[in-house]
Amino acid sequence: MKYTQLGRTGVKVSRIVLGTMNFGPQTDEATSHGIMDAALDAGINFFDTANVYGQGENKGRTETIIGNWFAKGGERREKVVLATKVYGNMAAEGDAWPNHDRLSAVSIRRNVEASLRRLKTDHIDLYQFHHIDRSTPFEEIWQAIDVLVQQGKVLYAGSSNFPGYKIAQANETAARVGAFGLVSEQCLYNLAERRVEMEVLPAARDYGVGVIPWSPLHGGLLGGVLKKQAEGGRRSGGRAADALKDPAQRAQVQRYEDLLEKHGVEPGEAALAWLLTRPGVTGPIVGPRTAEQLASAVRAADLELSGEVLDELDAIFPGTGPSPEAFAW
């Protein structure tokens, strides 16, 4: 497994990030524990979760599964760089009590304590803001995070789904108040969705913020979806299904799969490997439901795509172009 530094920090993390969103809703606890053990054995040390993962009435369930795994011992917690998130409403479904969500100091304090209990740990390595909070000033947010840092409950802060200007605003405020600021940004980024290249990635690079792409296969669209359909595999849903309704996008995906078949490369592994060639990318988040899906992601970390393949991928899925030139009429 290859490693890199998390943004401008000194901490070393694997270039594949284990996403845990499926733990609980789609993968039972025993299987989830097996996947985490296999990830550690493969050298993956960066695990990502969120307080709301678990769905519906089971919000928090995913953190609990991870906490139970840590409780097995064997230095599991010590070997993992643990990331979780705050923002989503943690109240029961249909319950509208205030301060159960967003990024007020009250919400951050309550939610970090709850996450620590579920995760059965005394600290979170990377505490991420799951969304921007337009109603809370960054001065308040950084004051709350700095208290947690001083208490040893949080080491670093990151963002998720932030536009470029909010990354800049967050870190300029941090510099003004003497906080360390954001060290990472999680964003939707893959071959089929490259809009973050216009502003988010340049802002992240300028501020030393590591980029952690989520949905690297674009909801399965880049994972060999057409071949799987032809072989009678599971029908696609969500983002992939919507894209395939468009004849032009379907033809684009067919070109992609044909290219990789010609070169003997699995589509899903190529999509991950492509992200690892992007400047500023720490590592994509993979959310395996099975051990084989995890093994495929591990192979992708060592896959070297040729210049010819990279050029052809860019031709099939052209990027937005550099900023600010891409904004010109």
Side-chain angles (χ1 to χ4, degrees):
M1 177 58 61
K2 296 178 180 178
Y3 296 87
T4 187
Q5 290 188 197
L6 176 60
R8 56 198 167 89
T9 76
V11 67
K12 295 285 188 181
V13 294
S14 50
R15 297 218 67 192
I16 294 294
V17 184
L18 181 68
T20 63
M21 181 181 287
N22 292 321
F23 294 177
Q26 297 187 46
T27 307
D28 63 32
E29 182 158 343
T31 305
S32 300
H33 286 191
I35 289 172
M36 287 187 281
D37 282 332
L40 271 191
D41 289 343
I44 296 175
N45 73 334
F46 195 6
F47 289 16
D48 176 74
T49 191
N51 58 353
V52 294
Y53 290 172
Q55 294 186 350
E57 296 293 333
N58 293 315
K59 286 181 288 190
R61 175 62 179 154
T62 303
E63 286 188 332
T64 299
I65 288 172
I66 297 170
N68 292 340
W69 181 73
F70 284 148
K72 291 182 175 182
E75 297 188 333
R76 285 174 170 82
R77 177 65 186 96
E78 290 77 10
K79 293 175 181 177
V80 166
V81 177
L82 175 64
T84 192
K85 308 181 193 74
V86 59
Y87 179 90
N89 192 338
M90 292 300 290
E93 291 297 307
D95 200 340
W97 286 99
N99 301 314
H100 280 88
D101 61 359
R102 300 185 183 269
L103 303 177
S104 70
V106 169
S107 175
I108 287 173
R109 175 169 179 149
R110 290 177 177 176
N111 280 295
V112 77
E113 295 293 347
S115 284
L116 290 171
R117 286 194 296 272
R118 288 189 292 266
L119 290 163
K120 294 182 172 60
T121 185
D122 63 357
H123 74 284
I124 294 162
D125 299 304
L126 177 63
Y127 202 45
Q128 302 160 108
F129 313 133
H130 213 159
H131 201 282
I132 60 171
D133 182 354
R134 295 180 175 87
S135 63
T136 304
F138 277 113
E139 289 84 355
E140 178 181 349
I141 293 170
W142 288 127
Q143 181 188 52
I145 293 298
D146 279 350
V147 169
L148 296 175
V149 170
Q150 291 161 12
Q151 293 174 338
K153 295 177 180 178
V154 166
L155 301 186
Y156 302 105
S159 59
S160 181
N161 306 308
F162 272 33
Y165 84 95
K166 279 295 181 181
I167 293 173
Q169 189 179 69
N171 275 7
E172 289 297 330
T173 304
R176 188 169 66 248
V177 301
F180 195 60
L182 301 174
V183 304
S184 64
E185 159 61 18
Q186 277 195 35
C187 53
L188 174 61
Y189 185 30
N190 54 59
L191 271 165
E193 176 49 80
R194 299 178 62 171
R195 285 177 292 178
V196 294
E197 293 176 349
M198 296 184 75
E199 290 196 0
V200 174
L201 267 60
R205 288 196 296 269
D206 282 354
Y207 284 98
V209 171
V211 175
I212 308 169
W214 59 266
S215 194
L217 304 188
H218 206 58
L221 187 72
L222 302 171
V225 61
L226 295 178
K227 182 179 180 181
K228 291 174 183 176
Q229 285 184 356
E231 294 173 348
R234 190 174 65 136
R235 294 188 63 83
S236 299
R239 194 176 295 120
D242 290 342
L244 293 177
K245 293 175 184 176
D246 181 342
Q249 285 190 282
R250 190 179 187 91
Q252 187 181 39
V253 173
Q254 187 67 66
R255 287 176 60 201
Y256 166 73
E257 293 190 18
D258 290 346
L259 166 68
L260 297 173
E261 183 175 12
K262 181 178 75 172
H263 289 275
V265 180
E266 288 295 321
E269 294 174 17
L272 294 174
W274 177 84
L275 278 169
L276 292 174
T277 69
R278 302 296 93 187
V281 168
T282 297
I285 300 173
V286 300
R289 296 186 300 273
T290 66
E292 176 48 40
Q293 289 176 348
L294 176 66
S296 177
V298 171
R299 290 193 296 270
D302 294 321
L303 177 61
E304 298 285 345
L305 299 176
S306 69
E308 176 189 357
V309 170
L310 290 172
D311 288 344
E312 292 191 66
L313 288 173
D314 271 335
I316 296 170
F317 296 106
T320 57
S323 175
E325 291 83 357
F327 291 101
W329 286 69

